[in-house]
Amino acid sequence: MKKLFCKIKTKLSDGSMDSYNLKGIFYCLIPFMLLLILLIELVIVSLLIALHIGKIQIYIEPLILLCFFLFSCYINYFIFKILKKNLLNKYFFFSLLLLIVLIISVLITLNWFSSFMFSISNLLIVIWKIPDSLKFPYKNINILVDIISKSSLAMFTFCVTIWISYMLNFILPKSLQKKDIPIKERVKRGFIKFALLSFIIFLTIIFSVINKDNFSSVTIFTTLFTFICTPQMILRVFSNYKNIEKLEISEGVLRTFDYIKLLYYECLFSWSISIYIFQAQNTETKIEVFAISLFLLMFVTLISQKLIFKFNKQIFSNWIVSVDNKNKYKLIKEKQSRKYKITKKL
């Protein structure tokens, strides 16, 4: 566990665009964590109420609510500390995300403080024996849960955008994968990502008018995309190189085109899920299901890639022919062709 924590810490501080995007994804997921913590705290309160322990509840309740309040204060301090660090590093987008998270956390803290004060008031009422004056300490919970739920969904939109940006890092050249690079290189990186994102948005708009009746028409576009999205095709159309088939394409370029194809097919599969499995009717629901499905598919792809990379040699060892074996095979072929030529002459 310690090694895993060290690896995560190293990855998040290596100065790459991957670490920058992963931090953004983590910040977007904090509201969901806060909502989960709040729900756990509400379960504890519900159990306390369900026990029906009478006046003892009046004495225990303030202690539990005080613990919740102090824990929320600590979370506020933790978030504020990260916010301050991002402001000092001039990460203004992350600072905005954390400011929203901090506001949510402060609302939770104020809620527990309010509940704690009501519980203290109830305790004093019981001690002073004031009849019919007890107050319910949790009247703002429903409003708070609703605010956090809506804020979490809004943050999820940012999360999907950052996740797509993270996936696009695999397509970028290694020279553009560092966070701190010259302005010219940043503009170049931004242009590449903007072009790819525009393409994804274009696909989303096209898919928004597709339903069960006309989904088969996508196959025509898919065939065209598969035909065009090859390095040989791009070189043949946009360069003056000849005999393209005999040229050896760089491994990095081939990998980039494969990532683009994978991203396209995951978009296509996500849209088919929204249409056929969830049978979404209006465009908003289609896009929501599409975004969630795409996020999950990309997440599974990334995790699978990271796990398989560790066992790469063992898993794919039978797939790869070594260079030595290739050379031996070539020599055998050459000898066989020479023998054939000599035999033919005789």
Side-chain angles (χ1 to χ4, degrees), residues 77-179:
Y77 169 74
F78 177 73
I79 296 170
F80 178 77
K81 194 175 177 182
I82 301 174
L83 173 60
K84 183 181 176 182
K85 187 177 179 181
N86 278 277
L87 283 171
L88 291 173
N89 290 328
K90 296 180 181 179
Y91 294 161
F92 298 115
F93 177 65
F94 285 174
S95 300
L96 177 62
L97 293 178
L98 284 167
L99 182 61
I100 297 169
V101 171
L102 183 61
I103 291 170
I104 295 170
S105 183
V106 168
L107 287 174
I108 295 172
T109 306
L110 291 174
N111 171 75
W112 288 127
F113 179 73
S114 172
S115 300
F116 171 70
M117 294 306 294
F118 275 120
S119 66
I120 292 293
S121 174
N122 289 339
L123 179 61
L124 294 174
I125 287 168
V126 169
I127 292 171
W128 292 336
K129 297 180 181 179
I130 301 173
D132 301 326
S133 298
L134 293 177
K135 298 175 182 177
F136 185 64
Y138 313 109
K139 60 181 181 181
N140 297 322
I141 287 294
N142 291 334
I143 299 171
L144 183 63
V145 170
D146 186 54
I147 290 171
I148 298 173
S149 300
K150 289 179 179 178
S151 302
S152 299
L153 289 174
M155 293 288 277
F156 186 76
T157 306
F158 289 115
C159 186
V160 171
T161 306
I162 297 170
W163 185 266
I164 292 172
S165 176
Y166 176 70
M167 294 302 293
L168 292 176
N169 289 338
F170 293 98
I171 299 171
L172 293 174
K174 286 187 177 180
S175 60
L176 300 178
Q177 290 186 10
K178 284 285 181 184
K179 177 69 181 71

Side-chain angles (χ1 to χ4, degrees), residues 56-69:
I56 300 175
Q57 179 184 334
I58 302 295
Y59 294 95
I60 296 174
E61 198 171 52
L63 294 174
I64 293 174
L65 294 176
L66 179 62
C67 291
F68 292 166
F69 170 68

Side-chain angles (χ1 to χ4, degrees), residues 103-283:
I103 291 170
I104 295 170
S105 183
V106 168
L107 287 174
I108 295 172
T109 306
L110 291 174
N111 171 75
W112 288 127
F113 179 73
S114 172
S115 300
F116 171 70
M117 294 306 294
F118 275 120
S119 66
I120 292 293
S121 174
N122 289 339
L123 179 61
L124 294 174
I125 287 168
V126 169
I127 292 171
W128 292 336
K129 297 180 181 179
I130 301 173
D132 301 326
S133 298
L134 293 177
K135 298 175 182 177
F136 185 64
Y138 313 109
K139 60 181 181 181
N140 297 322
I141 287 294
N142 291 334
I143 299 171
L144 183 63
V145 170
D146 186 54
I147 290 171
I148 298 173
S149 300
K150 289 179 179 178
S151 302
S152 299
L153 289 174
M155 293 288 277
F156 186 76
T157 306
F158 289 115
C159 186
V160 171
T161 306
I162 297 170
W163 185 266
I164 292 172
S165 176
Y166 176 70
M167 294 302 293
L168 292 176
N169 289 338
F170 293 98
I171 299 171
L172 293 174
K174 286 187 177 180
S175 60
L176 300 178
Q177 290 186 10
K178 284 285 181 184
K179 177 69 181 71
D180 296 321
I181 54 176
I183 295 174
K184 186 179 178 181
E185 298 297 307
R186 291 185 188 185
V187 171
K188 184 179 177 182
R189 179 175 64 199
F191 177 77
I192 293 171
K193 285 194 174 185
F194 176 77
L196 291 169
L197 280 173
S198 299
F199 179 70
I200 293 169
I201 293 168
F202 171 71
L203 288 179
T204 306
I205 293 169
I206 289 177
F207 290 158
S208 66
V209 296
I210 294 171
N211 51 39
K212 286 183 179 180
D213 300 325
N214 57 15
F215 190 79
S216 57
S217 62
V218 178
T219 54
I220 300 169
F221 183 78
T222 301
T223 305
L224 179 64
F225 175 78
T226 308
F227 174 71
I228 293 173
C229 192
T230 61
Q232 289 84 358
M233 184 66 185
I234 300 298
L235 286 172
R236 190 175 287 110
V237 174
F238 296 102
S239 74
N240 55 3
Y241 286 102
K242 296 180 181 179
N243 299 321
I244 304 296
E245 287 74 14
K246 294 182 181 179
L247 297 177
E248 187 174 349
I249 308 297
S250 121
E251 186 67 26
V253 171
L254 291 172
R255 185 182 290 269
T256 298
F257 274 85
D258 287 338
Y259 275 123
I260 293 171
K261 287 179 183 177
L262 178 63
L263 182 61
Y264 170 75
Y265 285 116
E266 287 189 344
C267 287
L268 187 64
F269 185 62
S270 300
W271 198 259
S272 64
I273 287 172
S274 69
I275 291 175
Y276 287 101
I277 297 177
F278 289 90
Q279 297 183 357
Q281 298 299 322
N282 58 339
T283 304

